[in-house]
Amino acid sequence: MLFSRYLLPVMKETPADAQIVSHQLMLRAGLVRQTAAGIYAWLPLGLRVLNRIADLVRREQDRAGAIELLMPTIQSADLWRQSGRYDAYGPEMLRFQDRGGREMLYGPTNEEMITSIFRDCVRSYRDLPRTLYHIQWKFRDEVRPRFGVMRGREFLMKDAYSFDLDAEGGRASYDAQFTAYLRTFAALGLRAVPVRAPTGPIGGDLSHEFHILADTGESEVFYDSALDAVDLADADAPAMLRGLYAMEAEEHAKVENCPVPPERLASRRGIEVGHIFFFGTKYSHAMGLQVQAKDGTQVTPLMGSYGVGVSRLVGAIIEASHDAGGIVWPDSVAPFDVGLINLRPDDALCATAAAEAEARLEAAGLSVLHDDRDARGGEKFATMDLIGLPWQIIIGPKAAAAGLVELKRRATGERHEVSLDDAMARLKGPRAA
Ligand code: ATP
Ligand code: MG
């Protein structure tokens, strides 16, 4: 992709209305534009990141056995009357009427809709267990939308819903999502801590929020510092993490005998990027979902729901990975793999070398943003650091004459003058890993 033909409005100045670093960097790096309070347009570069995150979330959902479908954003109020939540939900729900005066709403979540779909499609125990998910926009009229996409009004969520015949099955479905979440966040280059959340009347340990520990987080989390030592890549990580104590401050305050010795109790701020919840028959009972059991009786399936804040993750990843120069994207979600900087587009040798490098990188399956603009070198370097592509390949007249390029790793600032072949070999290495 040629920079000169792309839509990438970068800003030098820090926008005054953005309080936290991820919001500032998302605006400065041309990822999003606010179009109304808490509502954002995803510009081309931002959309590439959002899509990559959604793809990784999808990959881990599929691996965990969940099945993708797509439910609409607009729902009918009648559906929500069946569960009793239409009146209970409050002003966060955006309500309106269609031309026929029918009451509609923009979905803040989809428990009612998935329950009605399941009720229409499934009759027999043979069709259970199932976990279904979609990745779809939600609207919640938040009192205080803030921090850019972290607390927007319109936001992208992955929400999954499990249906089981008994509590044991429900726990297994919950555990599969728990593990999928740890894998998802690790694949995104994040360290997410599962925090026990209140379960209401069901009790037990079947609700967790997943938090990224960062100073700008909206919640305070108390946790057993033994958590810091758990290697999330370890196959036993889910079991180890389930056993360790972590709780939001508000809940922690209600715990009378904290099981963690004081010297091991740590506290940090956290960004909630996921929430999983087993709620039993709450919606299936209210909405009359029943299936025939093996013995011919009718049973009410047990359900859970599992959310990931896909658009919030873009901000959370930046909070966790940036430096003074700008964003430092993890390889797995970067909008392009390589930023190719031609320092002298007016020089025939440089132009040829840059075009060849772009073509060969793309042929090797790498995505490239090629800065071919007629601009000063300093500006190009600053822009490339700001937008945070993991690798930079810099082409200038001296190196080009010697058949070399400069390869820079964004995260470390390390630079090497190498041949294009060597550069490509290094680039392929970490991606393949
Ligand atoms: P919060 O406590 O942050 O308001 P929630 O408990 O309302 O979150 P859920 O209903 O569990 O959130 O939604 C699942 C996920 O969707 C959350 O873990 C979060 O990552 C994301 N999310 C929720 N509200 C927003 C929002 N206003 N903007 C962006 N993402 C959000
Ligand atoms: Mg909320």
Side-chain angles (χ1 to χ4, degrees):
M1 173 60 64
L2 290 177
F3 200 130
S4 63
R5 303 216 187 132
Y6 205 44
L7 184 73
L8 180 43
V10 295
M11 291 179 216
K12 285 207 186 73
E13 309 299 328
T14 299
D17 54 330
Q19 295 157 20
I20 61 170
V21 69
S22 60
H23 188 195
Q24 294 167 355
L25 288 172
M26 286 187 73
L27 294 171
R28 286 187 55 211
L31 302 179
V32 290
R33 273 293 155 99
Q34 184 173 320
T35 60
I39 302 180
Y40 290 84
W42 291 82
L43 298 181
L45 199 69
L47 180 61
R48 291 179 73 99
V49 178
L50 190 67
N51 284 340
R52 288 199 77 180
I53 295 173
D55 284 347
L56 277 176
V57 169
R58 180 179 285 117
R59 184 188 81 188
E60 294 304 330
Q61 288 295 304
D62 293 347
R63 193 198 299 245
I67 311 159
E68 187 172 14
L69 79 172
L70 184 60
M71 293 178 269
T73 55
I74 308 289
Q75 308 186 21
S76 97
D78 289 344
L79 203 52
W80 285 64
R81 291 210 170 85
Q82 292 176 27
S83 71
R85 270 213 293 185
Y86 189 66
D87 295 322
Y89 208 88
E92 273 197 7
M93 186 190 275
L94 178 63
R95 304 156 201 252
F96 46 89
Q97 292 186 355
D98 68 10
R99 66 205 295 168
R102 281 173 288 264
E103 291 175 281
M104 315 291 286
L105 57 99
Y106 195 120
T109 180
N110 285 66
E111 280 84 2
E112 283 77 2
M113 189 173 279
I114 195 74
T115 305
S116 81
I117 291 171
F118 208 76
R119 189 179 60 193
D120 288 349
C121 301
V122 170
R123 299 266 171 274
S124 155
Y125 69 93
R126 287 190 200 87
D127 293 323
L128 277 81
R130 290 287 185 279
T131 296
L132 298 159
Y133 77 97
H134 72 164
I135 299 176
Q136 178 61 293
W137 295 93
K138 306 286 185 283
F139 192 94
R140 294 182 188 174
D141 203 351
E142 299 274 355
V143 194
R144 229 157 56 86
R146 58 186 181 280
F147 306 149
V149 300
M150 294 264 241
R151 185 166 295 284
R153 294 198 295 168
E154 188 185 53
F155 58 97
L156 189 60
M157 195 201 287
K158 182 285 298 181
D159 36 326
Y161 304 90
S162 61
F163 296 86
D164 280 276
L165 288 169
D166 53 34
E168 198 187 322
R171 173 172 265 275
S173 297
Y174 183 92
D175 287 346
Q177 286 288 322
F178 187 99
T179 303
Y181 274 46
L182 290 178
R183 296 185 66 116
T184 304
F185 297 127
L188 293 169
L190 291 171
R191 201 180 160 81
V193 171
V195 173
R196 247 175 238 199
T199 45
I202 296 162
D205 64 346
L206 290 178
S207 180
H208 288 85
E209 295 172 355
F210 290 77
H211 285 257
I212 305 301
L213 302 180
D215 296 339
T216 46
E218 288 189 274
S219 348
E220 190 181 6
V221 176
F222 281 87
Y223 67 99
D224 185 339
S225 55
L227 260 169
D228 290 330
V230 176
D231 176 1
L232 295 188
D234 194 321
D236 297 330
M240 286 191 278
L241 290 168
R242 276 289 275 278
L244 289 169
Y245 183 86
M247 217 172 262
E248 267 205 66
E250 212 179 299
E251 294 306 312
H252 174 74
K254 298 180 198 154
V255 174
E256 272 165 29
N257 286 310
C258 176
V260 186
E263 67 280 7
R264 259 182 31 207
L265 193 65
S267 142
R268 288 277 311 268
R269 300 207 68 83
I271 302 168
E272 183 195 316
V273 289
H275 189 177
I276 62 176
F277 197 51
F278 180 73
F279 44 71
T281 58
K282 184 173 172 190
Y283 297 96
S284 44
H285 177 71
M287 296 181 67
L289 162 64
Q290 288 200 318
V291 298
Q292 190 168 51
K294 211 170 186 170
D295 63 7
T297 59
Q298 294 288 309
V299 295
T300 303
L302 303 163
M303 295 173 58
S305 76
Y306 314 89
V308 171
V310 176
S311 49
R312 178 178 285 184
L313 273 165
V314 180
I317 290 170
I318 297 173
E319 287 296 327
S321 186
H322 66 270
D323 64 17
I327 302 169
V328 182
W329 291 116
D331 293 307
S332 58
V333 299
F336 290 91
D337 300 313
V338 188
L340 178 64
I341 298 178
N342 180 356
L343 290 172
R344 289 282 305 280
D346 57 337
D347 176 282
L349 193 61
C350 288
T352 309
E356 188 203 333
E358 181 182 355
R360 287 194 49 204
L361 289 161
E362 284 182 346
L366 296 158
S367 53
V368 183
L369 181 65
H370 175 176
D371 192 349
D372 60 334
R373 291 173 306 157
D374 182 17
R376 284 183 309 107
E379 186 185 332
K380 293 187 174 186
F381 291 137
T383 299
M384 213 46 101
D385 279 356
L386 172 65
I387 67 173
L389 307 182
W391 297 96
Q392 297 174 15
I393 290 184
I394 302 148
I395 294 180
K398 253 173 76 185
L404 299 174
V405 299
E406 195 173 12
L407 177 69
K408 174 177 156 182
R409 181 73 169 148
R410 173 66 181 87
T412 59
E414 221 180 301
R415 293 157 168 259
H416 296 282
E417 214 165 45
V418 292
S419 69
L420 183 59
D421 286 324
D422 284 351
M424 288 183 52
R426 288 189 201 219
L427 264 146
K428 290 298 257 181
R431 280 172 55 83

